[in-house]
Amino acid sequence: MLISTKGRYALRVMIDLAEHQTEGYIPLKTIAQRQGISEKYLESIIKLLVKAQLLSGVRGKGGGYRLTKTPEQYTAGQILRLTEESLAPVACLEPGASACSHAAECRTLSLWQGLDQAINSYLDSITLEDLMRRGDAGDDYVI
């Protein structure tokens, strides 16, 4: 499994907005500058987050984006599942995959299922609030 740039940037944007949530709506330009992400690329990520109702947006003067919930209500898994085609370690476990004709005799299926469960459980156990605190505590997790 490899997390795309889009997934990593989505997490960075959400953390940025969580860290600045008391400032109201944050303009796209401000987020892009703080994160060193092009506005054009950031637009596509923001659009996805707004559509999923993780963010709300207001146009015009004083407009921008903000979280729709508190940071502890978002998980890394929730955000990454929006941006990634799949978090599954193998194709047969991807959402919507057709049943594998070898599943009954597959000696590695339980290995992949366990890994898939571990990945999702871990990502769902980390909230935006956790990620904000980790940065403050000096625990550097590169996203």
Side-chain angles (χ1 to χ4, degrees):
M1 175 186 76
L2 187 65
I3 302 297
S4 69
T5 301
K6 186 183 246 184
R8 293 191 323 270
Y9 284 3
L11 283 171
R12 285 173 50 187
V13 165
M14 294 294 286
I15 294 166
D16 184 284
L17 288 169
E19 290 173 336
H20 297 278
Q21 63 186 331
T22 60
E23 298 170 25
Y25 287 94
I26 308 293
L28 179 74
K29 183 176 185 172
T30 302
I31 302 166
Q33 288 173 342
R34 283 197 296 238
Q35 294 302 315
I37 303 170
S38 83
E39 284 184 59
K40 186 95 170 141
Y41 191 60
L42 190 56
E43 281 177 9
S44 66
I45 295 169
I46 294 274
K47 195 178 288 189
L48 189 64
L49 296 169
V50 168
K51 185 177 180 184
Q53 298 180 346
L54 299 183
L55 300 179
S56 63
V58 171
R59 293 180 181 217
K61 187 175 179 169
Y65 299 93
R66 69 176 184 184
L67 302 179
T68 57
K69 299 182 260 186
T70 60
E72 67 271 7
Q73 294 177 296
Y74 296 95
T75 68
Q78 174 186 29
I79 297 162
L80 290 173
R81 279 188 286 278
L82 281 176
T83 59
E84 305 304 306
E85 286 184 26
S86 173
L87 297 176
V90 291
C92 63
L93 295 179
E94 290 180 356
S98 49
C100 176
S101 60
H102 302 287
E105 63 270 353
C106 181
R107 293 179 179 228
T108 59
L109 182 58
S110 62
L111 168 79
W112 304 129
Q113 288 170 329
L115 179 58
D116 187 48
Q117 183 179 4
I119 289 168
N120 282 289
S121 293
Y122 177 71
L123 292 174
D124 287 336
S125 74
I126 307 293
T127 67
L128 279 184
E129 184 176 29
D130 295 331
L131 293 170
M132 289 167 55
R133 274 191 271 130
R134 286 186 177 150
D136 292 341
D139 297 332
D140 292 327
Y141 288 92
V142 177
I143 299 173

